[in-house]
Amino acid sequence: MNFVSLAFILFFLAVFVIYWQLSRPRQNLFLLFASYVFYGWWDWRFLSLILTSTAIDFYSGRRMDRSENPSTRRFWLSLSIGANLLILGYFKYSGFFISNLVMGLNHLGCSLRSNELNIILPVGISFYTFQSMSYSIDIYRRELKPCRSFLDFATFVAFFPQLVAGPIVRAKEFLFQLESKRSFQSSRFEAGMWSFILGLFKKAFIADLLAIHIVDPVFAEPALYSSAAMWLALFSYSIQIYCDFSGYSQMAIGCAAMLGFSLPENFRFPYLATSFSGFWRCWHMTMSRFFRDYVFIPLGGSRQGTARTYSNLLLTALISGLWHGANWTFVLWGWIHGLGNVWGSFRRCADPGVPNRPGWWRWLTGWFVTQLVVLLAWVVFRATDITHAGVMYHRLFILQSGSDLVVTGAVVWAIPAFLVEHACGAFVARRPYTLSPFSRVLLGACCAAMIFVVFHTRPETLTPFIYFQF
Amino acid sequence: MLYERVISLFARLEHYPICCGLLGSWLIAELICVAIMPSVLDNNWYLSHYQSETSRQSLERFFTTQSNSIPDPHCGWRNAPDRDLGRWRTDASGARQPSFHRKGPGKAGVLFLGSSMTNGGMGVSNDETISAYLEQQSGLPAYNHGTMLHALDQSLLLYEKALVHMDVKYVVVGLDPNTHLRLTNIYIPFSRREEVHLPFLKPRFVLREKDQLECISLPVKQLREHTFSAETWRILEKHDSFYARFQRYKHLGFSPIGHSINRLQRRLRNLQRRLFPAIRNELLYALLQRFRSAARQRGAKLIFLVYPAQSDFGQHALSFVAPDAYGLRLEALETIGLHTINCRRALADCLRPGSRFHADGNHFTRESNRVIAAHLVKAIQQFSSAGAEFPSEKKNCRSTAAVPAAP
């Protein structure tokens, strides 16, 4: 069920109305039922998978907490993490590893053939397995007590607004919300509604228009287009992926807010960042903190010398790249960002006298270099394989003639709309209820205008969210 | 009491300023779209938004002969001659002939008329159409002038006006499941807005007194300007039964709630049509009679292939309550003495459900074409006085005779 569909609007309306008529225990049960209906809408066969993962983690968490023996606790933690990684590895990476293994062995002289496995990737598997693992790890670290109710835990894992594409929610920031009484608040409801509609506008208007009219045609056949068209497509893709993903996150946060829950923020204007570390503090924030807390810091973080810090940064970035998909392009993308983080770390060590608020020149250079590398790294992220990325880089850096893009109609407004959203978002997006009543009425009028714009520019077929494929 | 409740409701609204702004603005916008804009803007403005960019590009190609269809003064459009798209090819006359086609001596052929279901569509090659299988199974030369989206009236005009020199013994006309609806349509996008590749004008017949048929035809060239004259709008309003859809689009198509209401209304009308199908159609019968007269005058025998839709096989959820529209239609045709072939029974007897239609759900597979051709051969044999007229006889769908391999 795509968020940008009439089916989801009707589904959510029904859930919202019924939900607020129920008492808390029944609310959680109803949420669980609704979440499974939502997930089963994609493919009912994978409901058993999410239920299995939930059961293993719930049981492991309880056994871990009961035991004081470190090896027993490690055993249950390993079981939980192992089960989740096994599920993730099988569905997401088995084809990739097998084909690369066969290719490697063929290079060594063996003649093997790999048949395509055709394994369907369950939607949201990367997200809910990570959520479950964070629960087990927090229990192991004694940062969290295990959930007493299987129902509450299952609802936490399957909570439909953030199930398929995040934000990746920690158990300790969500479980207590499930266990406490929730009352309907008009301010929270309106903030959620604003967030949902803004996210819908970013996805359905900005991201989809850029995708259909600029990005997809050029990236499908880059050899046909000129260098100028290639740069425009790349720039548009950077806007598309931001609006697509942040739009989804906002819609998820908005839905959760309308149901009385608070989800963590996932984006904070990453294209204003002046360093790679700054970028990753603003882009997919919940995933960044997951990798920081559960990969980078356990590896030693930055406390074991410079060389080790650099290798930890690189390794963490590589893993986060691989998390995005089973393709060498994602590994390369992660590697580029890893190098960027290493460079940033090196500069901080080399020039410790840099003030916290650098001068405008330093700010500008830092911003320009960071954003340029981020922009160029999107090429590998979007490419189907390394060769495809190579063709695109060639067209970007070697001036080529070819077809130019003629941008007409509503697409012309997509990029200015993004700029306006970015400029105004800081004032309005997070705290609409602090504005005056008249300003809020105007905000409502903006919502209506955005809905009409989305309605009039909607494509004939729905485009899926980019991060659904992860 | 009511007054107090209204006051308390408004009092509660002050806690929802964003909602108030949203709902208030939305209602004002809906009012503007539904009531004010239609009275201020003219039809051509709405037409420019009704047509998609793909439609306009299709029209551009249509008039610059880059399309698979070309303008025709009699029936609106015809197949473009000498087109080669690999699996879909036409000859110099615009007919779709198999690779093994050979012209027969004198008056020996079979002329096929109808829509893309007769033509075969893009899903089958020239050697896999009904006409190709008929030619292969019977040896009779077949001329496939089935044309995309042609209705019965256009097939009649094609036969009467454009193929006037074609001298054949048999004329086979394909009757689509919804042929009766398209007889009252002039501007194709009014009935099928999603039909972006063929957004053309077609002629239509009007039944006058004493069963006289009057043909109403609009100049095709005005499609090029993407605007219609006042006279054209007047004719469309009076004679295109789907003009009401365009009116509903004007009023309801520009706002989300209006659009949803329009869609719901359309679904309810389709449901009503499914549950209460219109069987008796005087215009259709008049056209069929005229077809029969025209064929008789030219010494040809007329056979109608009554095509079923997927829903006519009883696999739809409504099949338990809806009447058998196909059966009723067939019965009505047979009572006026037409030679018909029950394609539904032919396909149901010989093919599994999954192999009758293409993925688009509308066009037949090559297996279906082969089965229909076999039944058509039998029907033609019934017309002929001596069985030795045909070089080879085909028994039924279970015959093991070879069919042309798909390229």
Side-chain angles (χ1 to χ4, degrees):
Chain A
M1 216 186 293
N2 196 319
F3 270 21
V4 187
S5 67
L6 187 60
F8 177 77
I9 303 289
L10 294 174
F11 166 81
F12 183 75
L13 272 172
V15 167
F16 177 81
V17 168
I18 297 171
Y19 174 82
W20 285 112
Q21 310 303 317
L22 303 171
S23 58
R24 190 198 67 82
R26 288 198 182 133
Q27 279 180 337
N28 291 354
L29 178 63
F30 177 69
L31 268 184
L32 180 64
F33 168 73
S35 299
Y36 281 169
V37 165
F38 177 83
Y39 193 71
W41 200 280
W42 297 100
D43 195 329
W44 61 269
R45 295 172 294 177
F46 294 118
L47 280 174
S48 55
L49 198 64
I50 191 172
L51 202 52
T52 305
S53 170
T54 305
I56 290 173
D57 294 317
F58 179 75
Y59 187 68
S60 305
R62 286 173 71 93
R63 292 304 296 258
M64 218 188 312
D65 187 61
R66 269 188 225 156
S67 170
E68 291 299 328
N69 186 342
S71 57
T72 309
R73 290 169 61 81
R74 263 197 301 275
F75 167 77
W76 288 111
L77 176 68
S78 306
L79 176 70
S80 168
I81 292 178
N84 280 301
L85 288 178
L86 188 68
I87 291 170
L88 189 62
Y90 173 73
F91 283 99
K92 197 166 176 180
Y93 300 106
S94 49
F96 172 69
F97 284 129
I98 289 172
S99 62
N100 280 279
L101 182 69
V102 165
M103 203 179 347
L105 289 172
N106 283 338
H107 277 303
L108 292 173
C110 309
S111 68
L112 292 170
R113 222 171 41 157
S114 74
N115 294 327
E116 221 170 280
L117 287 178
N118 289 325
I119 298 171
I120 300 170
L121 178 65
V123 170
I125 191 170
S126 304
F127 292 89
Y128 70 72
T129 49
F130 271 39
Q131 252 174 230
S132 304
M133 283 195 291
S134 80
Y135 169 77
S136 303
I137 295 170
D138 285 347
I139 291 175
Y140 178 78
R141 289 177 176 174
R142 298 192 191 279
E143 291 172 6
L144 177 73
K145 295 301 282 176
C147 188
R148 280 173 297 182
S149 162
F150 178 75
L151 180 71
D152 287 354
F153 180 70
T155 309
F156 155 66
V157 173
F159 188 49
F160 74 88
Q162 48 84 44
L163 172 63
V164 290
I168 301 174
V169 181
R170 300 267 186 97
K172 55 190 170 192
E173 61 194 359
F174 193 79
L175 279 174
F176 77 92
Q177 297 186 65
L178 278 171
E179 289 161 1
S180 53
K181 188 174 184 299
R182 295 174 290 278
S183 57
F184 184 83
Q185 293 173 2
S186 60
S187 55
R188 180 177 250 177
F189 167 74
E190 289 206 320
M193 189 181 70
W194 163 255
S195 185
F196 183 87
I197 293 173
L198 183 62
L200 174 73
F201 179 76
K202 284 163 75 173
K203 158 62 181 164
F205 178 64
I206 301 175
D208 284 356
L209 276 188
L210 289 175
I212 291 167
H213 295 281
I214 299 178
V215 176
D216 291 348
V218 174
F219 277 67
E221 299 210 68
L224 296 178
Y225 290 91
S226 65
S227 298
M230 198 68 228
W231 277 104
L232 177 62
L234 181 59
F235 183 62
S236 300
Y237 181 69
S238 68
I239 297 174
Q240 179 206 339
I241 192 167
Y242 166 73
C243 289
D244 190 287
F245 196 14
S246 68
Y248 177 88
S249 295
Q250 272 184 288
M251 293 171 82
I253 290 167
C255 285
M258 286 192 269
L259 296 173
F261 293 94
S262 179
L263 294 184
E265 212 178 340
N266 219 9
F267 290 85
R268 198 180 295 160
F269 311 103
Y271 291 143
L272 298 177
T274 56
S275 65
F276 270 87
S277 56
F279 178 82
W280 281 102
R281 280 197 295 274
C282 301
W283 178 277
H284 203 179
M285 291 151 63
T286 53
M287 187 199 73
S288 302
R289 70 176 184 181
F290 180 94
F291 281 110
R292 181 197 64 204
D293 294 342
Y294 300 117
V295 178
F296 181 68
I297 289 175
L299 284 174
S302 53
R303 289 165 298 176
Q304 295 183 358
T306 311
R308 188 64 188 267
T309 301
Y310 294 164
S311 67
N312 291 343
L313 282 170
L314 265 179
L315 189 60
T316 306
L318 279 172
I319 294 172
S320 83
L322 194 59
W323 174 87
H324 283 81
N327 197 321
W328 289 114
T329 53
F330 295 116
V331 176
L332 182 59
W333 176 79
W335 187 75
I336 292 171
H337 279 266
L339 282 179
N341 278 317
V342 165
W343 171 249
S345 177
F346 169 76
R347 286 207 57 208
R348 278 193 298 277
C349 294
D351 197 356
V354 171
N356 283 338
R357 297 176 73 84
W360 70 270
W361 176 246
R362 274 199 124 110
W363 183 92
L364 191 64
T365 8
W367 173 81
F368 181 78
V369 170
T370 304
Q371 296 305 327
L372 181 63
V373 176
V374 165
L375 184 71
L376 291 171
W378 285 130
V379 173
V380 274
F381 191 87
R382 177 62 171 77
T384 51
D385 51 46
I386 302 289
T387 314
H388 188 212
V391 171
M392 289 195 280
Y393 278 128
H394 182 256
R395 291 209 88 79
L396 283 170
F397 290 109
I398 313 289
L399 271 178
Q400 303 276 339
S401 61
S403 304
D404 281 320
L405 278 170
V406 179
V407 179
T408 57
V411 191
V412 171
W413 296 101
I415 294 176
F418 159 74
L419 295 172
V420 168
E421 184 272 331
H422 237 58
C424 299
F427 294 103
V428 171
R430 285 191 290 282
R431 291 182 295 277
Y433 46 82
T434 60
L435 300 171
S436 68
F438 180 70
S439 301
R440 282 191 272 164
V441 170
L442 282 182
L443 217 58
C446 283
C447 287
M450 284 193 285
I451 290 170
F452 268 74
V453 166
V454 165
F455 170 74
H456 279 283
T457 56
R458 69 195 187 283
E460 284 167 20
T461 49
L462 289 173
T463 47
F465 287 93
I466 294 174
Y467 267 70
F468 275 13
Q469 62 185 300
F470 307 141
Chain B
M1 195 67 173
L2 177 66
Y3 172 77
E4 282 163 9
R5 285 175 94 171
V6 168
I7 293 295
S8 70
L9 180 67
F10 273 104
R12 286 171 79 176
L13 285 177
E14 72 170 337
H15 298 291
Y16 300 91
I18 296 180
C19 288
C20 290
L22 169 65
L23 288 172
S25 307
W26 194 326
L27 286 172
I28 291 169
E30 289 274 344
L31 185 67
I32 290 171
C33 292
V34 169
I36 297 174
M37 276 171 57
S39 54
V40 171
L41 301 166
D42 73 347
N43 278 344
N44 282 321
W45 185 88
Y46 280 99
L47 185 67
S48 67
H49 287 81
Y50 191 78
Q51 291 175 332
S52 64
E53 186 55 38
T54 315
S55 287
R56 281 191 274 275
Q57 288 168 3
S58 298
L59 283 171
E60 207 52 53
R61 286 196 298 274
F62 180 62
F63 286 107
T64 54
T65 64
Q66 294 169 23
S67 167
N68 297 333
S69 304
I70 54 170
D72 182 271
H74 306 296
C75 51
W77 64 90
R78 293 180 61 185
N79 289 336
D82 298 317
R83 275 281 184 274
D84 189 345
L85 300 177
R87 282 166 73 82
W88 194 90
R89 299 187 310 275
T90 57
D91 64 10
S93 67
R96 202 181 166 193
Q97 305 296 61
S99 55
F100 48 83
H101 172 72
R102 273 182 296 280
K103 275 190 183 168
K107 194 185 174 72
V110 183
L111 171 64
F112 281 81
L113 295 168
S115 67
S116 54
M117 293 183 81
T118 304
N119 174 284
M122 296 294 176
V124 296
S125 70
N126 278 33
D127 291 351
E128 295 169 340
T129 60
I130 298 172
S131 60
Y133 284 127
L134 179 122
E135 186 163 338
Q136 196 243 354
Q137 291 172 20
S138 67
L140 286 175
Y143 305 91
N144 185 353
H145 279 276
T147 309
M148 305 302 201
L149 215 59
H150 260 199
L152 178 70
D153 45 10
Q154 290 171 285
S155 299
L156 174 63
L157 286 166
L158 192 66
Y159 181 60
E160 283 183 343
K161 309 268 196 249
L163 300 175
V164 65
H165 299 298
M166 189 148 250
D167 197 16
V168 292
K169 195 166 180 187
Y170 302 100
V171 177
V172 176
V173 182
L175 288 178
D176 286 7
N178 57 358
T179 199
H180 57 289
L181 291 174
R182 288 159 54 200
L183 295 178
T184 54
N185 180 215
I186 297 177
Y187 183 49
I188 299 295
F190 281 174
S191 65
R192 296 166 67 130
R193 191 177 173 205
E194 65 278 11
E195 189 51 74
V196 294
H197 300 294
L198 296 157
F200 306 145
L201 286 167
K202 66 173 274 289
R204 77 153 282 192
F205 285 93
V206 175
L207 197 58
R208 297 292 187 211
E209 287 173 4
K210 296 178 187 171
D211 291 344
Q212 291 300 307
L213 286 167
E214 178 192 343
C215 183
I216 293 168
S217 181
L218 290 170
V220 174
K221 65 176 187 293
Q222 62 185 323
L223 285 172
R224 205 161 195 176
E225 283 93 44
H226 306 298
T227 57
F228 293 152
S229 63
E231 177 61 18
T232 299
W233 281 115
R234 194 191 62 78
I235 290 172
L236 288 171
E237 186 178 0
K238 192 173 176 192
H239 295 294
D240 193 330
S241 62
F242 292 91
Y243 178 78
R245 277 197 195 172
F246 179 70
Q247 285 291 91
R248 280 192 290 273
Y249 166 78
K250 277 172 60 176
H251 290 273
L252 301 176
F254 278 75
S255 60
I257 293 178
H259 176 76
S260 304
I261 291 172
N262 195 15
R263 275 183 71 174
L264 182 64
Q265 279 183 336
R266 199 164 161 182
R267 291 209 173 155
L268 288 173
R269 271 194 294 276
N270 286 342
L271 183 65
Q272 183 195 22
R273 221 186 344 255
R274 188 66 73 71
L275 291 174
F276 306 103
I279 304 302
R280 185 97 195 137
N281 189 312
E282 301 301 333
L283 176 61
L284 173 64
Y285 296 154
L287 285 169
L288 292 169
Q289 299 285 19
R290 180 160 159 168
F291 224 131
R292 184 159 56 179
S293 306
R296 238 181 233 153
Q297 273 175 13
R298 287 157 72 162
K301 293 199 171 48
L302 191 60
I303 304 172
F304 288 95
L305 298 175
V306 186
Y307 297 140
Q310 262 198 341
S311 55
D312 289 325
F313 286 91
Q315 290 159 352
H316 197 266
L318 288 177
S319 59
F320 296 105
V321 293
D324 179 15
Y326 182 89
L328 292 170
R329 207 157 35 104
L330 189 69
E331 195 181 314
L333 292 172
E334 284 170 352
T335 55
I336 59 173
L338 296 173
H339 299 292
T340 57
I341 290 182
N342 187 336
C343 296
R344 180 176 70 170
R345 189 168 62 199
L347 296 177
D349 286 348
C350 298
L351 295 176
R352 291 177 296 106
S355 57
R356 295 171 193 152
F357 290 89
H358 264 296
D360 66 4
N362 293 323
H363 295 92
F364 295 130
T365 58
R366 64 177 184 145
E367 289 81 14
S368 294
N369 288 342
R370 186 171 55 84
V371 165
I372 293 171
H375 282 74
L376 186 54
V377 166
K378 256 199 256 179
I380 288 175
Q381 284 174 343
Q382 285 172 2
F383 275 119
S384 72
S385 54
E389 183 172 323
F390 305 108
S392 64
E393 277 190 13
K394 290 295 142 193
K395 307 288 187 299
N396 57 29
C397 61
R398 293 178 188 85
S399 165
T400 55
V403 295

